[in-house]
Amino acid sequence: MLQIRPTCENCNKKLPHNSDEAMICTFECTFCKDCVELLHHICPNCGGGFEKRPIRPSNLLKKYPVSTKIIYKPVDLEEHLTKFNINQ
């Protein structure tokens, strides 16, 4: 089951369970759409791509609560672009 993390790892923007802005990679690293664009759709942690995070239905939140753990690790964009050989 997905953790549904509460914020963007890069900018710390709130991403509630029903956010249309939340994007995840295969390891559930969670970023907002704006940061995914800055990262050229490449996860800085694993190098994978991003997909829209599914929305957990409100009626299931009590039985399957979302994560409250905030992972905030701002990305060094210049290092990210170099690491993944991205030309701007």
Side-chain angles (χ1 to χ4, degrees), residues 14-80:
K14 290 185 189 304
L15 298 170
H17 73 96
N18 59 352
S19 175
D20 286 333
E21 295 291 313
M23 305 290 286
I24 59 173
C25 75
T26 189
F27 292 101
E28 293 187 64
C29 300
T30 304
F31 292 82
C32 68
K33 283 183 177 180
D34 290 338
C35 288
V36 166
E37 287 294 323
L38 290 174
L39 298 168
H40 292 261
H41 297 267
I42 299 172
C43 178
N45 302 317
C46 70
F50 288 98
E51 294 293 332
K52 183 183 179 302
R53 183 181 72 190
I55 293 174
R56 180 154 307 152
S58 296
N59 65 319
L60 296 176
L61 291 175
K62 187 172 183 178
K63 185 175 182 179
Y64 303 104
V66 298
S67 176
T68 57
K69 182 179 180 183
I70 293 174
I71 299 173
Y72 181 52
K73 302 183 304 186
V75 178
D76 179 329
L77 191 54
E78 188 174 317
E79 182 179 310
H80 175 75

